[in-house]
Amino acid sequence: MKTGAICPQPEELRQLLNSSLSGERSQECTQHLDSCECCQAKLEEIATEGTKLSQVVMHLKEAEPMATSAYWPALKALETDVSQTTTPLSSSPQPGVRTRDVSLAFLQPPSDTVYLGRLAQFDVMRVLGRGGMGVVLEAFDSRLQRNVAIKVLDPELAGDEIARQRFCREARAAASISHENVVAVHQVEKAGEEGLPYLVMQVINGESLEQRLTREGRLPLREIVRIGMQASHGLAAAHAQGLIHRDIKPGNILLEAPQDRVKLTDFGLARVAEDVKLTRTGYVSGTPLYMAPEQALDEPTDHRADLFSLGAILYEMCAGHPPFTGNSVLVILRQIADTKHRPLREIDPTIPQWLSETIDRLLAKKPADRIQTAAELAELFDFHWALMKTTSEELPSVCQVAVKKRQRRNLLIASGVGASFLALGLLGGMFLANRRGSAAIEPVSTAFPIAVLQANAGAVWSVSFDPTSKTVAMGVEDGKVRLWDLATQRITSTIDASRGAVWNARFAPNAELLATSGNDGQIKIWKPSQNEAIKTFKQNHGVRGLAFAHDGKSLYAGDRDGELRLWSLDADEPLAQAKQEGEIYAVAVSPDGETLAAAGNGKVVQLWNAKSLTPKISLEGHNGPINGLAFHPDGHQLASVGWDSKVRIWDVASGELLHTCSGHGGEIWGVAFSPDGSMLATGGFDGAVRVWNTEKGKLMATFLGHKAVIHTVAFNSDGKLLASGGRDGAVRVWEIEEE
């Protein structure tokens, strides 16, 4: 159909919207619509009649005369986004990258002919594409010797003050987020005399979720849960900074090789919630296929819009297509605003009920009906991810197993999980019994932790309760100790404790003191209310083993060179010292103060006289490094755990090995006795926390939720709470029930 030809009849426009018009005629009508403002208006009216979307269209018409309306150009741009998206930070070829020529006149002459040009210290290798309002380049940082992605404000928009403001807002938003599931922003700079702003970001080796879905369609259940879990953790980190992404889509979810770790990118539409909108078109921001209803209707949005978008992506991973589809943006927006998505289990009955229900809640039209926070969603995925790993046949059977059904229905319902979630947890334990052909059932906790304390700053290596159980100390990989108020789950103080990882952060048993040690070899004593150490002891190497004497007046330290020292809080020089073969990873002192246990990569637990540091007995039996030690409160027994996945219980007086059992699917790191000695807690490579009844020799419970290795476990002073921390950067606090 040529310009000036007869306009399509209203019925043809309806057929065009419903995808029932013949292919040739559909193409003719589409070409005509590109130049006919009258038919554009008719199509808008037909597509939105009887819906809230008509109010949006009318508002736009009233705001601008038809001849200069920004609505149709914006709509055409969104049509392009439906069929063509870009992933600007992935170094792999992007089939959807827009091919418009991009001027690189802002670049300086290249330092070598193999490069396109130079920007500050960055040698530009190629154009990756366009993301949001920026040109994205891959470059080599000649100072730090690494490849980076550089996003430069499109030179065409350089003179637009609104565009500059939005770009700078993007820079501040992206740079404020520090999380393993968000693409890192290294720096924000300006180029040349024009002051063209640009971001320097991490370049991701891998592909986008969009590419994965295009190639594979539906994804396996484990991949869906893992991607959903990591994406929700990334969103939770952004939302904690008051930021809303507003354009979550498969193209903005990168999968970093080789483990396909999720990296959220392109916070170009993110904004601080109270910011004023900066838009020249008056049209809503976002990608239609994954847009929340409130975005489609141009209503106020908050972080729950991101949760709707993530729900749409989860739906697509399960079904092989988005929940709302159509051959025009208006059709899609109408479905998003008014149409219920088809239930997933009608498409694929094998999809777990809990996942289908979770996605249904995320896709609720009203924000109040959705899961309310990304953190809550992440915790739900954490549980099921851990459950999926725990119910794997790869895990060894435990030495003795008992059934303990924890009926925590009220807590589950309050967390928005429901009875089906509870049933799944119990069925998980039954699955183990049936597959192993045994009458024994591994107890699987159906309880959520009472607190999740997220550091978002690297692995947690140590956790400790203060004597009142009101404060939890977390030693983190970034060199800091974070003190949390358990009741409010807020950080009350952050202590700069070490120039490297903090291996230990331990409260004194009978005093308001905290001892820390780290990779820099310094042991520091703190008053938790102060950020200045009141005492510092120095060893020659990083101190991984640290323990207070039970009177709180002295402490024991073992470093990575095998050096043991006894320090008094009232002296500057060690009271005693000794040398043990190999590195020391853990030390523990008996309740009577007579025996010190030390172990590390030497495969031997060495018992020492705690006052003179003279050797007593060597406990041999481990087949690899030993990571954790704990004395029973009666002082007669010692527990040791390590690389060989075994829990060993020793008689302290004779050195006899009393018990050995396998309770984890890999290396064990953390071990602790409860204050009354009735329970032993362990945590390790499989991300599970296990609690054992020491009197009956039975497994009481398995707590799930960590998504990586657990490094540390600790009971509080009355044994009713248990804390665990690990490589996922979080401490979880669990309530221990009486049997």
Side-chain angles (χ1 to χ4, degrees):
M1 181 175 292
K2 298 180 181 179
T3 302
I6 299 175
C7 295
Q9 295 298 311
E11 184 57 33
E12 285 188 307
L13 293 178
R14 286 191 176 88
Q15 292 175 356
L16 180 65
L17 287 171
N18 296 327
S19 303
S20 60
L21 197 62
S22 66
E24 182 178 354
R25 182 58 177 159
S26 175
Q27 185 176 2
E28 291 176 349
C29 290
T30 300
Q31 292 175 353
H32 176 81
L33 282 164
D34 285 341
S35 57
C36 181
E37 295 172 356
C38 179
C39 287
Q40 292 172 10
K42 288 181 181 179
L43 186 66
E44 295 168 5
E45 183 178 352
I46 292 171
T48 62
E49 60 188 359
T51 72
K52 294 181 181 179
L53 286 171
S54 61
Q55 301 173 11
V56 177
V57 175
M58 288 302 297
H59 171 72
L60 290 166
K61 289 178 179 178
E62 293 169 0
E64 292 284 349
M66 175 58 68
T68 59
S69 173
Y71 175 76
W72 193 259
L75 197 63
K76 295 301 293 181
L78 287 173
E79 291 279 11
T80 301
D81 282 341
V82 171
S83 60
Q84 191 176 54
T85 58
T86 177
T87 307
L89 300 183
S90 175
S91 61
S92 59
Q94 301 299 320
V97 170
R98 296 169 185 166
T99 57
R100 182 184 70 81
D101 290 337
V102 177
S103 172
L104 300 180
F106 58 87
L107 294 179
Q108 301 166 350
S111 59
D112 190 296
T113 55
V114 300
Y115 298 118
L116 298 178
R118 190 171 176 85
L119 187 64
Q121 77 266 26
F122 305 102
D123 292 308
V124 177
M125 296 183 285
R126 59 173 172 156
V127 177
L128 291 176
R130 295 172 58 86
M133 297 176 299
V135 180
V136 183
L137 312 169
E138 184 176 3
F140 179 72
D141 185 341
S142 58
R143 291 181 184 173
L144 298 179
Q145 300 290 299
R146 63 183 178 185
N147 286 3
V148 295
I150 300 178
K151 187 170 185 179
V152 186
L153 179 62
D154 194 327
E156 291 185 357
L157 302 175
D160 188 320
E161 183 60 27
I162 290 180
R164 280 177 174 270
Q165 289 182 42
R166 176 173 270 179
F167 188 90
C168 290
R169 185 184 65 195
E170 172 185 351
R172 292 192 299 270
S176 68
I177 308 170
S178 177
H179 193 271
E180 65 177 354
N181 297 126
V182 177
V183 172
V185 175
H186 300 316
Q187 61 191 88
V188 182
E189 301 289 350
K190 292 184 179 180
E193 297 180 357
E194 300 296 327
L196 190 65
Y198 65 92
L199 312 179
V200 181
M201 295 171 286
Q202 174 187 15
V203 66
I204 304 300
N205 295 316
E207 64 179 349
S208 69
L209 179 58
E210 178 188 19
Q211 290 174 291
R212 178 72 57 85
L213 288 170
T214 299
R215 184 176 69 251
E216 299 183 10
R218 299 183 187 182
L219 299 186
L221 176 62
R222 288 178 67 91
E223 284 299 284
I224 295 170
V225 174
R226 184 186 63 80
I227 291 171
M229 173 182 68
Q230 295 183 6
S232 56
H233 274 289
L235 278 180
H239 294 169
Q241 297 292 327
L243 303 173
I244 309 169
H245 191 292
R246 303 186 78 237
D247 195 21
I248 295 295
K249 58 186 178 183
N252 283 338
I253 298 178
L254 307 185
L255 305 176
E256 183 181 26
Q259 297 177 329
D260 285 344
R261 176 182 293 177
V262 167
K263 294 280 189 178
L264 299 182
T265 187
D266 199 0
F267 277 79
L269 297 176
R271 63 173 179 166
V272 179
E274 63 269 18
D275 276 359
V276 178
K277 282 186 179 179
L278 297 176
T279 175
R280 293 177 297 161
T281 65
Y283 196 71
V284 293
S285 299
T287 303
L289 287 173
Y290 312 98
M291 187 181 293
E294 58 268 30
Q295 287 178 280
L297 298 172
D298 200 24
E299 296 175 349
T301 61
D302 58 20
H303 62 278
R304 293 171 294 185
D306 287 345
L307 296 179
F308 183 96
S309 299
L310 183 55
I313 294 170
L314 290 166
Y315 188 103
E316 183 173 358
M317 288 192 284
C318 293
H321 57 77
F324 309 103
T325 59
N327 62 357
S328 78
V329 168
L330 286 173
V331 171
I332 296 171
L333 294 182
R334 181 171 182 173
Q335 289 185 18
I336 289 173
D338 298 312
T339 304
K340 171 73 175 176
H341 62 276
R342 184 184 176 190
L344 274 172
R345 286 173 63 84
E346 289 184 7
I347 301 172
D348 183 358
T350 66
I351 294 172
Q353 184 71 31
W354 74 266
L355 182 57
S356 177
E357 292 177 356
T358 297
I359 295 173
D360 285 346
R361 292 184 62 204
L362 292 172
L363 293 177
K365 302 299 184 186
K366 296 180 180 179
D369 294 334
R370 297 173 200 152
I371 293 174
Q372 292 299 289
T373 68
E376 180 184 345
L377 179 63
E379 190 63 31
L380 175 61
F381 274 121
D382 283 347
F383 179 93
H384 284 285
W385 177 246
L387 184 63
M388 291 171 71
K389 292 196 301 179
T390 303
T391 56
S392 166
E393 292 185 71
E394 299 174 359
L395 295 182
S397 60
V398 297
C399 49
Q400 294 191 53
V401 191
V403 177
K404 183 173 180 62
K405 298 181 179 180
R406 295 172 173 267
Q407 302 290 350
R408 305 292 288 278
R409 186 178 303 273
N410 291 339
L411 179 58
L412 290 170
I413 294 174
S415 300
V417 181
S420 63
F421 191 11
L422 175 64
L424 182 68
L426 298 179
L427 289 174
M430 296 176 65
F431 172 82
L432 276 178
N434 294 335
R435 293 298 294 268
R436 291 172 180 166
S438 168
I441 304 175
E442 180 174 3
V444 176
S445 169
T446 57
F448 279 105
I450 64 169
V452 179
L453 314 177
Q454 192 78 45
N456 291 329
V460 175
W461 287 101
S462 177
V463 64
S464 177
F465 288 95
D466 79 335
T468 68
S469 300
K470 295 180 179 179
T471 301
V472 177
M474 171 196 294
V476 191
E477 194 170 28
D478 65 352
K480 293 180 173 57
V481 174
R482 290 166 176 81
L483 301 181
W484 295 78
D485 179 82
L486 188 55
T488 62
Q489 297 186 35
R490 294 182 179 276
I491 295 175
T492 58
S493 179
T494 300
I495 298 173
D496 291 316
S498 175
R499 292 193 300 272
V502 178
W503 299 117
N504 292 280
R506 304 193 184 282
F507 281 104
N510 299 312
E512 293 184 358
L513 295 176
L514 179 75
T516 65
S517 68
N519 216 33
D520 59 2
Q522 296 190 359
I523 305 162
K524 298 179 181 179
I525 309 299
W526 312 79
K527 287 187 176 180
S529 59
Q530 302 175 4
N531 200 23
E532 292 291 334
I534 61 174
K535 193 85 172 180
T536 299
F537 305 115
K538 295 183 179 180
Q539 299 209 177
N540 296 325
H541 300 274
V543 177
R544 288 188 61 172
L546 189 71
F548 267 108
H550 290 271
D551 61 6
K553 297 179 180 179
S554 58
L555 53 83
Y556 296 86
D559 65 25
R560 301 189 70 165
D561 194 40
E563 187 174 19
L564 274 172
R565 290 185 180 181
L566 168 60
W567 299 93
S568 169
L569 302 190
D570 298 326
D572 295 326
E573 297 297 326
L575 301 180
Q577 59 187 67
K579 184 79 171 180
Q580 181 165 317
E581 183 178 351
E583 300 181 22
I584 296 175
Y585 294 165
V587 297
V589 61
S590 62
D592 61 7
E594 296 296 325
T595 304
L596 177 73
N601 64 356
K603 303 181 183 180
V604 174
V605 179
Q606 181 64 51
L607 300 185
W608 302 82
N609 181 297
K611 297 178 181 178
S612 63
L613 292 187
T614 54
K616 296 174 68 173
I617 303 175
S618 296
L619 311 179
E620 299 181 3
H622 279 275
N623 297 322
I626 301 165
N627 300 319
L629 299 168
F631 273 98
H632 190 281
D634 66 10
H636 299 314
Q637 296 179 357
L638 175 74
S640 61
V641 297
W643 175 86
D644 58 8
S645 308
K646 299 289 193 284
V647 180
R648 288 176 168 82
I649 307 296
W650 308 85
D651 181 89
V652 174
S654 66
E656 179 186 357
L657 179 60
L658 301 176
H659 304 288
T660 301
C661 63
S662 300
H664 289 269
E667 187 171 8
I668 305 176
W669 284 81
V671 61
F673 277 102
S674 62
D676 64 1
S678 64
M679 294 175 288
L680 179 73
T682 57
F685 183 82
D686 57 7
V689 179
R690 302 189 190 277
V691 181
W692 310 77
N693 183 304
T694 57
E695 296 177 359
K696 300 177 181 179
K698 295 180 180 179
L699 182 64
M700 292 172 53
T702 299
F703 292 118
L704 305 174
H706 284 279
K707 58 179 181 177
V709 179
I710 295 173
H711 294 144
T712 177
V713 292
F715 284 96
N716 74 331
S717 58
D718 62 10
K720 295 182 178 179
L721 298 177
L722 175 67
S724 56
R727 196 166 297 172
D728 60 0
V731 166
R732 286 168 168 77
V733 181
W734 313 89
E735 187 176 14
I736 305 297
E737 293 182 349
E738 298 289 341
E739 281 198 300

